[in-house]
Amino acid sequence: MFRQTAITRWILRCLPLMLILAAAPAYAQQSFDNVAGAWSGGGMMKPSDGPRERVRCKADYLPKNNGQSVKLNLRCASDAYKMDLSANIDQNGTDLSGNWFESQYRQGGKVSGKNVNGVIQAKVEGDTITALLNVQTKGNHQTFTMQSPGAWISDVTVDLVRDSR
């Protein structure tokens, strides 16, 4: 009797953990749902022809296809530069692929990378640019870094906060 009671108590104590672990594969499915909405913030950028500059950005993410695709509109501006970028990105498992276009400088190309545990690591390529991106989202905070040695903007770091609805 004592042994049966001890086993029952052990099962009841472990039940919440077992439920969480049973749901983990569904929760671990990567998606763009965690970035949905409007974001804004600022940071610094380094143009190739001058000193570091402050930059302000606004991003709008519109997830599609049950969170497996996203439409991104990103606008950033400093005192000397302005950028207006749109992208369509699809996800298959953790793999990312898609395309982008920047309307101020009329440049475009492809995007490839990974989305794992709220961290997007991507490579952006076009005719005149190759850049490595890292986007980390935690709740309502997102950090964006870009490195593109030799490009007209070689380094960008921006912190964004989800706009209240």
Side-chain angles (χ1 to χ4, degrees), residues 106-127:
R106 309 212 37 85
Q107 299 284 320
K110 63 183 181 173
V111 177
S112 61
K114 299 273 186 195
N115 181 4
V116 179
N117 298 325
V119 177
I120 295 172
Q121 293 181 320
K123 184 177 185 180
V124 175
E125 298 175 283
D127 290 339

Side-chain angles (χ1 to χ4, degrees), residues 32-104:
F32 291 110
D33 289 334
N34 68 323
V35 298
W39 298 70
S40 59
M44 299 295 286
M45 64 178 235
K46 172 67 176 101
S48 60
D49 61 350
R52 295 182 87 62
E53 294 185 30
R54 290 198 179 280
V55 64
R56 298 283 306 150
C57 296
K58 288 186 178 282
D60 289 304
Y61 294 94
L62 179 61
K64 302 182 287 185
N65 303 327
N66 294 320
Q68 296 305 294
S69 299
V70 70
K71 166 79 171 154
L72 166 65
N73 290 308
L74 177 66
R75 291 186 183 120
C76 294
S78 70
D79 289 341
Y81 296 96
K82 188 170 159 182
M83 180 192 77
D84 193 354
L85 179 132
S86 63
N88 290 293
I89 302 170
D90 297 315
Q91 184 167 286
N92 184 5
T94 60
D95 293 335
L96 301 176
S97 62
N99 57 62
W100 63 275
F101 182 76
E102 199 290 317
S103 62
Q104 293 290 317

Side-chain angles (χ1 to χ4, degrees), residues 19 59 79 86 93 97 119 123 127 132 134 142 155 161 165:
L19 290 172
D79 289 341
S86 63
S97 62
V119 177
K123 184 177 185 180
D127 290 339
L132 299 176
N134 189 27
Q142 187 176 81
D155 186 46
V161 175
R165 297 174 191 214

